Amino acid sequence: MRAVVLHEFGPAENLRYETVPDPVPGSGEVLVSVRAAGVHQIETAMREGLTIGPPLPELPAIFGGEVAGVVAAVGPDRRDDSWIGADVVTAHGRPGGYAELAVADVSAVHRIPDGLGHEAAVTMIVTGTTAIGLLDIAALTSDDVVLVTSAAGGIGRLVVQFAHRLGATVVGAAGGPAKVAAVRGLGADVAVDYDLPRWAGTVREALGGHGVTVVLDGVEGEKGRAAFGLLTAGGRYITIGAASRTEFRPDAAQLEERDVRFTDALSLLLAGQDTPADETRALAHAAAGELVPAFQTFPLSRTAAAHAALESRQTTGKVVLVPDA
């Protein structure tokens, strides 16, 4: 099969499109012909060899556990062939989704609900599940004024949609005019370009001097610090990752002075998420049209370009790899 292999940690160009042996499904596994594979922000850091997330893989490695496709074969112990030809999605594809074929344990595979495409399903299996978990933690109400950073990203877009449907006042911050327009189109009451130096002041002016009650921050760094500064007394600052690769953590004195609660949602989700049930719930929300996942596709052979675009924040929505034509 064709796959994208990393032989040496480093820049995006180190991802090489080449021929490797086909994976073979073992006991309790299915072989999936990959139609869509999700690219995660943390994978760009792992590709560089940065130890800021999961343990680094042994090289050579094929990244990408998020896989959607069609079951092509089952393991030798399975006498039930009902899986053959089924449209499925999993967050645990092996050796990785950056390939034409992947295997997965049947217990980690979901049948894709009717009406949901492979790209949308692979967007929801991790990004959607994480967004649902974040929203559970945030416990938003219609009275909240919610600031979402990275609002044009995969998680951000889902959060903006949910908060808008709930009736909360939504402020979406994203980088560049095109992304700001996209966030406004999702229903954000205020959409700002946080690449501009006075973006926090623009938010204050748009809200007529009223503060933000909840920040859902996927960027951290200086943009997270500015977002924290917009919170009113009694507000909540909730982080879901650091796309800037620079951590921002308000200290105890800052929290007490501002009367703000801080929650590291990503750590909570990694520690306590009921993954299969939450994945099912995320897929159901998308199938029902309650949350509309956004994705940007790249051919498998252009995975290096996909990584480079994601790192430079030139993408909108979830980055998804698809088979070459």
Side-chain angles (χ1 to χ4, degrees), residues 79-317:
R79 299 176 182 175
D80 178 8
D81 288 342
S82 65
W83 282 102
I84 301 295
D87 290 304
V88 298
V89 62
T90 180
H92 303 285
R94 301 188 308 275
Y98 295 13
E100 293 177 332
L101 297 169
V103 296
D105 193 288
V106 169
S107 64
V109 168
H110 298 263
R111 293 179 185 264
I112 298 176
D114 291 342
L116 202 61
H118 294 111
E119 295 90 344
V122 87
T123 298
M124 293 303 293
I125 198 64
V126 171
T127 298
T129 300
T130 303
I132 293 293
L134 171 63
L135 289 164
D136 286 345
I137 290 169
L140 302 177
T141 73
S142 58
D143 293 328
D144 277 315
V145 179
V146 186
L147 169 59
V148 183
T149 66
S150 193
I155 293 174
R157 292 176 70 104
L158 296 173
V159 169
V160 169
Q161 291 176 53
F162 180 92
H164 172 68
R165 288 170 61 93
L166 185 65
T169 300
V170 184
V171 180
K179 291 186 178 183
V180 170
V183 171
R184 189 175 292 110
L186 294 170
D189 299 279
V190 179
V192 297
D193 184 346
Y194 60 8
D195 286 341
L196 299 178
R198 289 193 65 256
W199 73 271
T202 301
V203 172
R204 289 191 184 91
E205 292 168 7
L207 294 176
H210 296 289
V212 171
T213 64
V214 185
V215 170
L216 301 179
D217 182 22
V219 180
E220 297 192 30
E222 288 305 310
K223 290 171 181 173
R225 187 184 304 277
F228 177 77
L230 290 168
L231 281 165
T232 189
R236 294 110 74 198
Y237 178 66
I238 304 172
T239 63
I240 195 62
S244 67
R245 298 190 185 177
T246 303
E247 186 179 84
F248 167 67
R249 291 288 187 273
D251 60 34
Q254 290 174 304
L255 294 173
E256 183 176 0
E257 179 185 357
R258 301 284 308 285
D259 187 21
V260 168
R261 287 175 288 163
F262 167 69
T263 304
D264 180 351
L266 187 59
S267 294
L268 290 178
L269 292 175
L270 291 174
Q273 196 170 50
D274 182 2
T275 302
D278 290 335
E279 289 172 348
T280 298
R281 190 157 59 110
L283 292 168
H285 275 294
E290 296 165 351
L291 293 175
V292 180
F295 49 84
Q296 182 173 344
T297 61
F298 289 79
L300 181 62
S301 63
R302 298 193 68 245
T303 298
H307 266 234
L310 184 57
E311 286 179 293
S312 61
R313 305 187 66 79
Q314 298 301 308
T315 60
T316 300

